[in-house]
């Protein structure tokens, strides 16, 4: 077999590879390597594109197992793919091989509203899971921003977060069981429709966040909760980072548990304010969104408390009531990344985490790092989790600027490590941050990280090069 990604083979890939894959899963489930839509993910703005030799669209776990088994027997790299909304290049087939897209595996396998749980195939869209839960009076709280594009399998593989992770936790907190195909092509089930399980080492949690490097997730048991009756946000603006971060601290000190605690700094607010529902005062240079949720009377009481706590030092505090206003606000919030990116046509956006008491420092340092590298910079994100989307604005066609942005990102990772934080709070390491874990983990921990990979994937064929703990062994 000749792999195009690893060589200069002509587009379309090796015919024998396509033939053999088709014999495993059927003619209609294997696309040529140059089929549009499988060479990149949302990191494409950084110039990252791969070159698959074939794209397989399996329809069942058994078919996934056949493909993994075949790839393992023939030393062919395999890249699992969800909705391709990742920001770290995790689904990009940089070494060629087979892209295994779960897009046809999107069935609800079991729905038990009375027991607050459902089982789904990995390729179901995040938005569909949330919709089905809602239609049954329930909630699946994880709410990563690209819900119409991302799959639940991709969310699990990256352990995705989102605005409501502050109160409800990240995706992994809502997964009670996983089915996965592991090397050399075997199906495992860990956990299930059970709420507690400490019987073995926590393989489920190892697979969660493993970014396709340990196995292919094919199905998941998800935990649901009764949907809150109302969600009542408070939007507050401030003249600067200090006033805004002081307000965020006061929310916690007051012992209030909001569902979300989000922020936008001056730059990201300037980029997105034109479409902010209700607008903002000219001197607003920092925005905080917090939200009370739950039963109507209790949520209203919490919302009033939040307004009081957020008011000192604020330019403006607005408590939203109407459901349409709330939906409009969150639609706007989902569009912030795009608004920022359209300022200069491109951006390099990271997702560092710092301890909450270092948030203001990290927000200011992001802008300062940008200045040092002659790049406009800003940040927004999940303030309550200390999770910043520190961003450098670029013209994606300017190679020198992209290079400066990459260097700025290095400084950002140093900053996160120095402040006792993490280089990634939700997007994972993928390709773009491979090797960076070395900044925050001791050698013994890095060794264990590498050994876990070797045990699951002795041939190194599952999403090769991604999520590496360090670049030099
Ligand atoms: C506008 C926008 C907003 C976003 N907002 C958020 C946010 O708020 N929070 C957040 O955490 N992320 C956010 N993201 C990033 C992205 O949506 C998440 O990382 C998401 O979880 C990726 O899911 P996906 O299905 O698109 O996976 P992909 O991008 O296809 O893949 C991501 C990684 O998971 C692996 N993978 C995918 N499916 C499987 C599987 N079935 N088995 C094993 N491995 C698999 C891939 O190999 C890859 O390494 C946002 C992205 C965009 C474009």
């Amino acid at each position: 077999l000749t792999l195009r990604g690893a060589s200069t083979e002509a587009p379309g890939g090796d015919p024998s590879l396509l033939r053999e894959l088709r014999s495993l899963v059927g003619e209609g489930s294997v696309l040529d390597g140059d089929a549009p839509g499988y060479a990149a993910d949302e990191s494409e703005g950084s110039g990252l594109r791969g070159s698959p030799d074939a794209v397989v669209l399996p329809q069942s776990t058994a078919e996934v197992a056949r493909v993994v088994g075949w790839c393992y027997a023939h030393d062919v790299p395999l890249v699992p793919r969800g909705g391709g909304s990742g920001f770290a290049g995790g689904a990009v087939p940089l070494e060629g091989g087979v892209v295994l897209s779960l897009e046809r595996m999107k069935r609800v396998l079991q729905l038990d509203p009375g027991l607050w749980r459902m089982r789904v195939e990995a390729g179901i869209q995040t938005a569909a899971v949330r919709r089905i839960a809602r239609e049954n009076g329930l909630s699946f709280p994880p709410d990563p921003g690209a819900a119409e594009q991302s799959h639940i399998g991709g969310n699990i593989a990256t352990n995705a977060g989102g605005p409501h992770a502050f109160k409800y936790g990240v995706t992994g907190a809502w997964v009670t069981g996983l089915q996965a195909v592991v090397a050399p092509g075997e199906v495992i089930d860990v956990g299930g429709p059970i709420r507690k399980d400490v019987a073995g080492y926590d393989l489920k949690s190892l697979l969660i966040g493993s970014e396709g490097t340990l196995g292919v997730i094919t199905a998941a048991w998800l935990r649901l909760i009764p949907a809150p009756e109302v969600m009542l946000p408070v939007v507050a603006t401030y003249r600067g980072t200090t006033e805004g971060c002081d307000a965020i601290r006061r929310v916690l000190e007051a012992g209030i548990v909001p569902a979300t605690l989000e922020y936008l700094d001056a730059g990201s607010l300037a980029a997105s304010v034109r479409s902010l529902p209700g607008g903002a005062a000219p001197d607003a240079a920092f925005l905080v969104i917090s939200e009370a949720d739950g039963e109507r009377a209790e949520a209203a009481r919490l919302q009033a408390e939040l307004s009081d706590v957020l008011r000192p030092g604020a330019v403006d505090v607005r408590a939203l009531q109407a459901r349409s206003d709330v939906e409009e606000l969150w639609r706007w919030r989902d569009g912030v990344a795009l608004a920022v990116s359209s300022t200069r046509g491109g951006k390099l956006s990271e997702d560092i985490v710092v301890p909450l008491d270092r948030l203001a420092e990290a927000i200011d340092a992001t802008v300062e790092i940008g200045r040092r590298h002659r790049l406009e910079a800003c940040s927004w994100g999940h303030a309550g989790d200390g999770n910043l989307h520190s961003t450098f604005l670029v013209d994606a066609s300017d190679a020198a600027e992209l290079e400066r942005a990459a260097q700025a990102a290095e400084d950002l990772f140093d900053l996160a490590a120095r402040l006792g934080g993490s280089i990634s709070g939700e997007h994972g390491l993928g390709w773009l941050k491979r090797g960076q874990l070395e900044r925050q983990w001791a050698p013994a921990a890095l060794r264990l990280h590498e050994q876990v990979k070797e045990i699951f994937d002795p041939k190194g064929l599952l999403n090769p090069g991604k999520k590496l703990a360090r670049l030099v062994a």
Side-chain angles (χ1 to χ4, degrees):
L1 290 169
T2 317
L3 295 182
R4 184 156 55 100
S7 71
T8 53
E9 188 80 349
D14 179 354
S16 72
L17 172 122
L18 295 169
R19 207 172 34 248
E20 293 209 27
L21 289 169
R22 284 178 178 135
S23 75
L24 293 175
V25 293
E27 187 77 18
S29 295
V30 180
L31 308 178
D32 288 357
D34 47 9
Y38 298 97
D41 65 6
E42 291 291 334
S43 66
E44 198 172 6
S46 325
L48 205 61
R49 262 188 97 71
S51 174
D53 293 278
V55 178
V56 180
L57 313 173
Q59 314 213 40
S60 66
T61 299
E63 287 189 358
V64 173
R66 253 178 265 153
V67 175
V68 173
W70 187 88
C71 285
Y72 234 74
H74 294 86
D75 293 330
V76 172
L78 183 136
V79 180
R81 183 180 178 93
S85 71
F87 280 133
V92 182
L94 289 151
E95 295 191 13
V98 170
V99 166
L100 189 124
S101 172
L102 280 291
E103 68 197 58
R104 290 186 178 168
M105 292 179 59
K106 54 183 178 188
R107 283 171 302 175
V108 175
L109 299 170
Q110 196 168 329
L111 174 63
D112 301 321
L115 294 166
W116 305 358
R117 67 185 194 199
M118 69 197 286
R119 184 167 189 249
V120 294
E121 288 184 320
I124 191 169
Q125 285 160 310
T126 316
V129 169
R130 287 172 55 81
R131 212 162 26 238
I132 291 162
R134 213 166 39 240
E135 285 163 5
N136 287 278
L138 297 166
S139 167
F140 178 69
D143 58 344
E148 296 289 348
Q149 183 184 349
S150 67
H151 296 178
I152 204 71
N155 294 161
I156 294 169
T158 55
N159 205 1
H164 289 79
F166 178 65
K167 178 173 176 182
Y168 295 103
V170 291
T171 302
W174 299 88
V175 176
T176 64
L178 282 181
Q179 184 170 75
V181 175
V182 294
E186 280 164 309
V187 180
I188 58 167
D189 281 280
V190 282
I194 50 177
R195 295 173 67 94
K196 295 176 86 178
D197 180 11
V198 295
Y201 293 130
D202 197 349
L203 296 188
K204 171 173 68 83
S205 293
L206 265 181
L207 287 164
I208 292 170
S210 64
E211 300 181 60
T213 63
L214 302 184
V216 182
I217 295 159
T218 56
W221 275 104
L222 304 176
R223 193 163 65 82
L224 309 169
I225 46 166
E229 191 180 350
V230 289
M231 293 184 290
L232 301 174
V234 178
V235 182
T237 53
Y238 302 85
R239 284 189 184 80
T241 303
T242 308
E243 295 87 341
C245 287
D246 284 352
I248 288 163
R249 285 285 290 274
R250 282 199 305 276
V251 172
L252 270 79
E253 283 161 7
I256 303 173
V257 186
T260 72
L261 202 41
E262 298 278 293
Y263 86 95
L264 272 75
D265 80 344
S268 54
L269 182 57
S272 58
V273 72
R274 220 170 334 134
S275 53
L276 171 66
D283 54 345
F286 196 92
L287 180 138
V288 173
I289 304 175
S290 194
E291 186 175 82
D293 69 352
E295 180 270 323
R296 187 175 297 278
E298 173 62 9
R301 189 185 62 74
L302 266 183
Q303 188 192 36
E305 274 184 40
L306 277 173
S307 300
D308 289 347
V309 168
L310 289 169
R311 189 160 292 113
V315 175
D316 183 45
V317 178
R318 276 182 293 137
L320 308 191
Q321 308 290 341
R323 196 191 172 118
S324 56
D325 290 347
V326 177
E327 286 170 358
E328 200 188 353
L329 175 73
W330 285 113
R331 256 198 313 276
W332 170 81
R333 170 61 187 84
D334 279 349
V336 166
L338 197 61
V340 169
S341 146
S342 57
T343 315
R344 295 216 58 232
K347 66 174 170 59
L348 189 127
S349 205
E350 295 299 345
D351 64 321
I352 60 166
V353 186
V354 297
L356 194 47
D357 51 320
R358 311 304 289 271
L359 181 64
E361 197 177 335
I363 292 170
D364 288 343
T366 296
V367 176
E368 175 50 33
I369 289 170
R371 194 174 296 134
R372 273 209 307 275
H373 292 275
R374 289 180 288 121
L375 294 167
E376 218 177 302
C378 64
S379 70
W380 70 95
H382 316 303
D385 289 327
N387 189 188
L388 299 83
H389 293 310
S390 293
T391 298
F392 304 106
L393 304 180
V394 293
D395 169 354
S397 64
D398 184 333
E401 220 166 79
L402 285 174
E403 177 54 34
R404 291 209 303 282
Q407 285 166 8
E410 298 272 324
D411 287 1
L412 207 56
F413 302 145
D414 274 345
L415 173 81
R418 183 167 54 77
L419 296 183
S422 173
I423 54 174
S424 179
E426 50 182 25
H427 298 159
L429 298 195
W431 173 261
L432 290 176
K433 277 180 277 189
R434 70 199 185 286
Q436 301 287 349
L437 189 59
E438 209 169 0
R439 292 173 195 267
Q440 73 187 60
W441 278 18
L446 293 171
R447 213 163 38 244
L448 284 170
H449 192 280
E450 288 159 353
Q451 285 167 351
V452 167
K453 168 71 174 172
E454 279 161 24
I455 287 170
F456 271 85
D457 181 18
K459 288 187 165 187
L461 294 172
L462 294 176
N463 217 355
K466 314 292 171 59
K467 211 178 178 67
L468 290 182
R470 49 186 161 192
L471 292 180
V472 189

